[in-house]
Amino acid sequence: MVNTLFLLVSGAGFGLLLFWGFKTLPGEKWQILAAVPVDRDESGRWRGVNLTYYGLLTALAHAVAVAFLIILLGSLSVSLAGILAVAGVLLSLCVPAAALIARAVEKKPCTFTVGGAALVGFVIAPWVLEGMNLVSGDAAGLHVPVIPALAALSVSYAFGEGTGRLACISFGCCYGKLLSESRPLVRRLFENRSFIFFGKTRKIAYASGMDGKKVIPVQAITSVLFIGAGLVGTLLFLQSRFVAALLFTVLVTQGWRAFSETLRADYRGEGRLSAYQFMALSSAVYVAALPFLLPLAPSPVVPDLTAGLALIWAPEPLLAIQVLAFLVFIHTGRSMVTGSMLSFHVIKERI
């Protein structure tokens, strides 16, 4: 009963969030969250640094992913210290990788790629877990069962990226091809479900001049598929079907990442098979082989969802999630490709 209620509430919550995001975020005012004055020019106006909804929604995505990781691993009686250690190590490597790999592929200084971060995370996660267990897991209470932990990480990743695609809608990146230039079947499917982005400071405008035109809603499809995969993965996880949860979420998310490239219009690097498609397919193959390379627990534990919910509903994990979200916002929320000029005045009628 608890498992079913948790899935229903999670699904409803994500559904409301996505419905709001799809309807609202393509609007022009949903790119810049705030502008902070930093220095004044000769005319008396202030140059501003723009803080973006992209950063806010990316921070939310990280918070969602870590929250689900705490709940799922907490349901296996993994200590909070062990969970935060895993999350801390992986994020400290994956977040910088998102920028470094994107710059290497796209040859631009101010860009990110979740695909690159995901590849790094999938590759290093098993060995980070094995290393923690080998070095200090049992002695320090940080032991984490590897296959169940990988399943929890893959499910959390699906929820995180599914939520994070709202950030792409806000910024106008990762956009689809023009509906008018798509195949007839695609046009019929998305004629009344397309995205139209407004605002000249959005990437779809300054990179491709496609603002104000109907495009395939790739970000929305990705969000729905990834959140759906996360919910199914959670169900499998709570049934102790850890390998199935791992394989299902990774194959769905990375398979779609590879295919969705054919629907996108933004620059994805050179070559018939883009670097990002190669990363996604490599991740899927690599993860599919892990159950055969890593030892399985002799007797799988049965997750206790109430224990996971009790673990996250405490000051320490809630504070850790808030600190993480703040740091991610500071890292991704400061716009590097837009600027602003601000002026201030007194409203005399209110003096």
Side-chain angles (χ1 to χ4, degrees), residues 168-214:
C168 299
I169 301 174
S170 172
F171 182 49
C173 62
C174 307
Y175 46 90
K177 294 179 179 178
L178 286 171
L179 204 60
S180 60
E181 297 178 1
S182 302
R183 295 178 180 179
L185 176 60
V186 175
R187 289 201 299 270
R188 286 197 298 272
L189 283 174
F190 299 112
E191 178 61 34
N192 297 318
R193 302 176 184 87
S194 59
F195 275 161
I196 302 177
F197 291 90
F198 298 96
K200 294 299 181 182
T201 56
R202 286 186 151 148
K203 186 175 181 179
I204 192 172
Y206 65 74
S208 300
M210 291 164 53
D211 54 309
K213 301 176 182 178
K214 290 185 176 181

Side-chain angles (χ1 to χ4, degrees), residues 17 61 80 110 124 144 176 190 206 218:
L17 177 64
L80 179 63
C110 303
I124 66 173
V144 182
F190 299 112
Y206 65 74
V218 175

